[in-house]
Amino acid sequence: MEYRTGSPCEKLNARQKQYSLIPTFTNSLIIMMKRTILIITLLTTLGMSGCKDYFDLNENPNQVITPPLKSLLSTTTQKTALNSQNVADFTSYFVQYLASPSAGSNTDTYQETSYSSTWDAIYYAMADLTDMKRLATEQNSSEYVGVADVMLSYHLNLIADTYGSGPFTQAFKAETLIPAYDSPEDMYNKGLRLLDDGIAELSKTDSNIKLSAADDLIHGGKREAWLKTAYALKARMLNKISKKANYDPAAVLEAVSKSYTSNADDAQMGVFLLRSPWAQTARNNALLVLDGWLSNQLIDQLNGTTYGLFDPRVEKITDKTIDDVYKGTVNGAGNSTAASNTVKDESYISLNSPLTGDSSALLIVTYAEVKLIEAEAALRAGNSERAYKAYLEGIKANMDKLGVATAARDKYVGNPIVSVGAANLTLDLIFKEKYVITYLNPEAWVDARRFDYKYKGFKLPVSAALTTFIRRVAYPTNEISENGVNVPAASPLSEPLFWDK
Amino acid sequence: MKKFVHVWLVTWLFTGLSVAIAQDQTVSGTVTSEKDGASVPGVSVAVKGTTQGTLTNAAGAYSIAVNSRATLVFSAIGFVTQEMAVGNRSVINVVLAEDTKTLNEVVVTALGISRDKKALGYSAQGVDNEELVQNRQTNLVNALQGKVAGVTINSTGGAPGQGARILIRGINSIDVGRDNQPLFVIDGILLDNSTSTTGSGSELRGMSNRAADINPDDVESINILKGGAATALYGLRGANGVVVITTKSGKAGALRANFSSTYGVENVNKFPEIQDKYTIGYKGEYDPNSFWPSWGPTVADAKKIDPTHPDKLYNHFKDAYRQGQQFQNNLSFSGGTDKVTFLSSISHLYHEGVIPFTSFNKLSARLNAQVKFSEKFTTSTNLNFINSGGDRYNADRFNESLNYWSPRYDVRDYIKPDGTMKTYGNNNPIYGAYTNKLKDNVNRLIGGVNFNYTPLTWLSLNYRAGLDTYSDSRLRTAPGPRGFADEYVYEDNALGFVYQYNTQFRSITSTFTASGTANFGDNLKATLRVGHDLYDRRSRSFGAEGNELTVYNYFDLRNAKSITPKQSAEDYRLMGIFGELTLEYQNYLYLTLTGRNDITSSLLAPNNSFFYPSASASYVFSQHLKLPQSISLGKLRASYAKIGKDALPYSTTTGYASYSSLPTGYTGFTRGDVLGDPTLRPEFTETFEGGLELGFFGSRLGLDFTYYHSLSKDQIIQVNVTSATGYSKAVINSGTMRNQGVELALRGSPIKKSNFSWDVNLNFSANRNTVISIREGLKEISYASQSGYAGSTVTQKLIPGTAYGNLYGTSYKRYYAKGSEGEEDPITIDKSRPIVIGTNGFPVRNTAQKLIGNALPRWVGGLNNNISYRDFSLSVLFDAQVGQYRYNQLDNFFSAFGIAKYTENRNETKVFDGVLADGTPNTKEVFLGQGKGPDGVDYNVGYYRNVYRGISENFVEDASWVRLRSVRLGYNLPASLFKKGPIRNVQLSVTGNNLWLATKYKGYDPEASSFNSGSNVTGFTGFVYPAVRSFLFSLNVGF
């Protein structure tokens, strides 16, 4: 007896596919019995050689092998925004936007804590971006390549600015399961290089496949918008090395000039499965999972305690307490009152804020921030007129973004404490204002370290584990167990990263 | 009430019986042996149903005065007991046959093949129905506890229907994701025994292992095949041992019916000890709404501030649990003619657990039928339908919330009239159990047909096809908030949700065997079996998770704001061709050779087809050599086997999975979790086993000793890899693991008389495991952990050279003199060294994770006694698991929240025993409490929160236990009562389970586990569903 290889088995497979998923038991038994007998008959009569296909089940029904570019764009744009929030979720304690309601909490007091899930989320996003870039290169889509470069650079910076370094050159390949770490300087240079590559790709107008507007959760498929974001991120990166000898304010200003021109350009994501993660924090807090308490450092700056000037943005950031004031919590000290934690006698992340409401967008990089970068670079370059103009524009843009009424905005900006005149503009003032503008953005921690935490009134958390402010976080414990041979030797969390020295 | 009736009946029956006995004639005679006709002295001659009796003299003669209606029972060591009705005879001579039961014992081996036990070259141990149901366990796996050597069984907790874990000869795979539990086979059909954790929240809700669907009352016998040679014919699926279940079948003759009914009550068998001195508040300050349940002032001080404070604190741990109960009913019919026999049964179980609102239901119906068409052709069918499932609750959450709950308030007062949670602030655990639900509902059909054809006397053909299919539906719900101003929302319920899941599973087993026997001369007999075996498994899961309900208690997906779909599919196929040749020389020397070739769908050609052999030999020297009379059986056995193993399905592929976190209206893909390897090779385990079986005095004393050694090389494992690879796991061929151990089974019958017998069964086994290598470039694989406060998280990890199951965590820093710090071992703790005390007067913590203990027992043992006296029977089962450690997360929380009894010393001062950094003894006296101490120093949150809770060493405890697993007392009503009418026998029994437990462990019964029964992780017994002590009352009526 001779059969063409496989054919009887294909029929068998076809029959199997028709088989109802919700059988009645008697029917199923009869069907099964019949089929079993059929299988056996086939197997014993045909012999095994004719039935190789029967054992060929290596196509995983739960996966696809080549996803379309747009299906990776939706994934990676969302992951980019969520990862920005993932990092801010703990760095916001270091910059004292947030303070833990319980005394001595790990993050609040600089204890070595393993932020494994954030590290993993960033790396998984980079893996998807690497694949999107590879597939886009194969399909000659300069737009997808460019967007992948920009987001890869963003993630590379999240790792480098938080941990110091991480695997990159050897990462995301099946060849090694223990990828080596790139040096911190390499991480920086590669990040910058990716932005330049991205800018080059996004400048092309003949992409074989254009960005899918419906699948781009950040810029709705607009190539020009991504190009501006690439420049905004480049400005950020160039400005980050302000402590280094090769800091070049002119280069920063050049990137700024090609970047955002209004709040409408901001890189942000505002669609969620249920709600913004910050809104979830606010809701959890209301449900007794205490979280999202604002620090007295932030509140005191905003409510006039620190600078003697009420900042109307406080109304857009948080709610008044039951005592009709804005009140922050001291980092490391926990809840200051003995009363039940459900009593709103402190200020929390608010659902009423345009930054932390259910459908509030997560901000990755904004026009207001770029203006303050411009202010800093211009000031460092000695161009205080440009600096002052950018400084005021940045504050206004931020207030507009938050929906502060024009009168209140102008009243604040017009106050001599803010409107000091170009000649009197200082880095302290720029960092002070940028501190509010980058509320809940991980970039705030980069600034805090560049500024050596010299914000007015900034104190070490109560019972801090370090004697100085925190400069880095420890490598995650699972990374140490899974890639221990490559993880750099542990340094104290007070040890500055390379650009911070 | 039942007890009372029982006693009354017994008394009545005894009085009645004694009247009936009267002696009116004398009977005499001699007793001889069938074998050589010699007279047998010392034979017990007893009058059945009385205490009357005598012994034969040196010449084998006896004489006894009896009633003509009496029956004489002749029994002696090494002989088959015989009964003789007296009638009007005055001389009764008896010929006793030798008891060769031990020699001719038949056991069910691989593929349902019945073989003489003496011919086996490997150890085999069985449990019959009587032994299985003696403690009325509803889960078949639990029913095996303590009854078989080499088998470790842990019920993962006391929840109704909760899964139980079974391991034969230890853990075999380095991969924590691989199943290490044995294959279950019922009447030749592969039985799925997975523990499904499909669906949100089911991980911690004590889901059933699927073998729990089988009704133990339906089971005739269970045979445990342990080593490689025993399981060789099952191929790779039998690599972890096989549990061969044979269900009851009907016997030709009159219709028989049996009804049994059981009612039981149960309570938590062991509670942790809690303090009753300090009330709600923090740093000694009273606050009736504080988050902190027990860091306040003493009750007396609190009462001065708050007159509404109760005089005594509640024991919220005891209060939160209730008395559980269960009902079991079984009805079976059997009978048939010489052509057709059948057995049908129906059983029902309803079980309410000790955590409020938990329950389990099981309905099982079975039909077994055999048809004998001719002497040459027979066929049989087995069908079993099961519906099972129940209300499951998260015991982890229940106990965690109990920790936060202040015993100043009654935890049982959990609900307001409007249905919302009643609380002073923290979540009420009972309200959680009341509202946060997971229900499962399984409909399952297990069925098979078997054809047996014997065309020639020396040739037989057998074909069996079987099906195991079920649908497992799960519904997970929680109501949304009501929106009342004073409403407290139970945290886990969030804004309400409804999740639905459905899994369709089916597996087909098909086995064909042909066997032929031939004799070569008088001395050599050969049996050859060849066969073909196919297993085809398919499962499909669908689910939808709906969050945020608009109507707070309408649990319908259409009422949810967002819906996330869940889906998965898996197909697996395996085929084997096998052969087995048995050579039998002169009834004392046996040799069995097997070979099997598997073709699997989970590896790629050519690696998907592989062959492996086994050989086993048995030498029954008692049949060969002249041995002392007292030795009735002597047998040596040895075996070698190589067993292949394939990969989990889809281990050879890598792709992109749906990214499900996107909002509705978006779809996306992301790299799959697992990096597959198309070049995966099968892994092989080589096992060697040797054993000795001895029988003394007929069947009165038996010993079975086994030593085994197994080495698994080049294992197929999924290892956790750094996320910098873009994957969370990678499948690789790597790693070597060794298991070796001993098993000892002793059976004895110290007393064997017609009216009084006592059987003892002792099982002992010890297994040692070593992870020899893991993977190049990898120092360790950490595979499980459970959190602890302030860095005291305990991790289970594999480090080459150490054993599977090791628990690592923080410890007290030990003193090493300056310059000798290098002597400190990076893994083990030198407990002989003094503890280092810091300048603040408190012990210093070593933050590096070190080995604190191993979670697998050093040895396990079981001791079962069955005593029968007249119509009474008594079974007493002890079992022990010794040398294992568990992380007690409960105690970690107890110290952090000031709940543990030992925290009552919080307002005392102490000089910690140890040395300062320079080696000099510590003399500093410190305050243990919170805030300012008597010395004026601010101790902040106190010793227990500052220091104690952060040291894992305090919470990894010796969890060895010895327990009185069960005692059962049964009474058979005398048959004379039922001479007329349909009733044939009536038995009343009472069973107590878990009556006594000896353990040093501070938490709940350490047998329970935080991980589900399908998991290989056994090191964590903190917030578990506590084990129970139960009392069951049963009535069994035969018709």
Side-chain angles (χ1 to χ4, degrees), chain B residues 129 136 186-187 213-220 247-250 255-260 329-335 342-349 362-369 381-387 446:
Chain B
N129 175 266
R136 303 252 21 116
I186 185 162
D187 299 320
D213 287 336
I214 301 301
N215 175 18
D217 286 282
D218 283 346
V219 173
E220 175 80 39
T247 62
K248 289 176 181 169
S249 51
L255 182 74
R256 296 269 180 272
N258 196 75
F259 171 72
S260 71
N329 286 298
N330 282 288
L331 180 62
S332 70
F333 297 94
S334 71
F342 81 99
L343 177 136
S344 64
S345 77
I346 185 159
S347 71
H348 182 252
L349 161 74
K362 181 166 81 179
L363 175 74
S364 163
R366 166 175 289 279
L367 176 66
N368 287 356
T381 307
N382 305 301
L383 276 178
N384 191 187
F385 170 78
I386 303 118
N387 172 255
I446 304 164

Side-chain angles (χ1 to χ4, degrees), chain A residues 13 16-17 19 21-23 25-26 28-29 32-33 35-37 39-40 43-44 48 52-68 70-72 74-76 78-79 82 102-103 106 111 116 119-121 123-124 127-128 130-131 134-135 167 170-174 176-179 214-217 271-275 280 283 287-289 338-342 358 463 478-485, chain B residues 287 289 291 383 385 425-427 443-445 447-449 463 465-467 469-471 488-489 491 494-495 504 506 508-510 532 534-536 538 540 542 547-548 561-562 564 567-575 577 599-604 608 650 652-664 666-673 675 719-728 730 732 775-780 782:
Chain A
N13 287 339
Q16 196 177 334
K17 275 170 195 148
Y19 167 61
L21 282 165
I22 308 161
F25 282 101
T26 44
S28 78
L29 182 73
M32 292 301 162
M33 292 301 172
R35 279 192 44 219
T36 309
I37 291 163
I39 291 166
I40 292 314
L43 287 174
T44 43
M48 283 175 301
K52 284 224 164 73
D53 291 358
Y54 181 72
F55 294 100
D56 188 9
L57 290 177
N58 289 285
E59 237 173 65
N60 187 339
N62 305 301
Q63 294 185 342
V64 296
I65 299 300
T66 316
K70 63 177 183 179
S71 75
L72 291 171
S74 53
T75 302
T76 53
Q78 197 214 25
K79 284 186 171 184
L82 292 182
S102 37
N106 286 353
Q111 293 176 47
S116 326
W119 167 280
D120 291 348
Y123 269 99
Y124 292 142
D128 287 337
T130 306
D131 293 350
R134 177 177 50 81
L135 292 166
Q170 292 185 10
F172 320 119
K173 300 185 175 84
T176 178
L177 299 179
I178 40 170
D215 294 287
D216 179 352
L217 280 69
V271 284
F272 304 98
L273 182 57
L274 265 173
R275 60 178 55 84
Q280 193 61 53
R283 286 193 185 264
L287 292 177
L288 285 177
V289 186
S340 162
N341 291 308
T342 55
D358 279 342
S463 35
N478 60 336
E479 178 66 11
I480 293 164
S481 107
E482 289 152 10
N483 195 16
V485 286
Chain B
D287 169 6
N289 298 108
F291 170 74
L383 276 178
F385 170 78
N426 283 348
N427 287 297
N443 280 302
R444 184 176 196 179
L445 182 75
V449 286
Y463 178 67
L467 168 75
T469 183
Y470 58 79
S471 77
Y488 277 99
V489 172
E491 183 182 326
L495 302 175
Q504 298 289 339
R506 74 110 177 86
I508 294 170
T509 317
S510 153
H532 173 273
L534 180 84
Y535 178 65
D536 184 319
R538 175 189 172 89
R540 296 288 181 270
F542 301 92
N547 278 303
E548 304 207 353
K561 253 192 178 171
S562 83
T564 310
Q567 189 169 344
S568 74
E570 189 183 286
D571 290 333
Y572 173 72
R573 289 164 190 170
L574 176 74
M575 184 180 82
I577 300 167
I599 300 180
T600 171
S601 71
S602 72
L603 295 173
L604 287 179
N608 70 338
Y650 314 124
T652 54
T653 60
T654 311
Y656 294 83
S658 159
Y659 176 60
S660 58
S661 309
L662 287 168
T664 312
Y666 294 88
T667 48
F669 281 83
T670 182
R671 268 199 197 185
D673 270 353
L675 173 65
V719 286
N720 293 333
V721 291
T722 164
S723 48
T725 58
Y727 301 95
S728 68
I732 52 169
R775 175 169 71 84
E776 246 171 63
L778 209 57
K779 283 183 278 191
E780 59 181 50
S782 79

Side-chain angles (χ1 to χ4, degrees), chain B residues 274 334 367 450 662 679 700 769 776 913:
Chain B
I274 63 177
S334 71
L367 176 66
N450 186 55
L662 287 168
T679 67
R700 292 288 288 271
N769 172 287
E776 246 171 63
D913 196 15

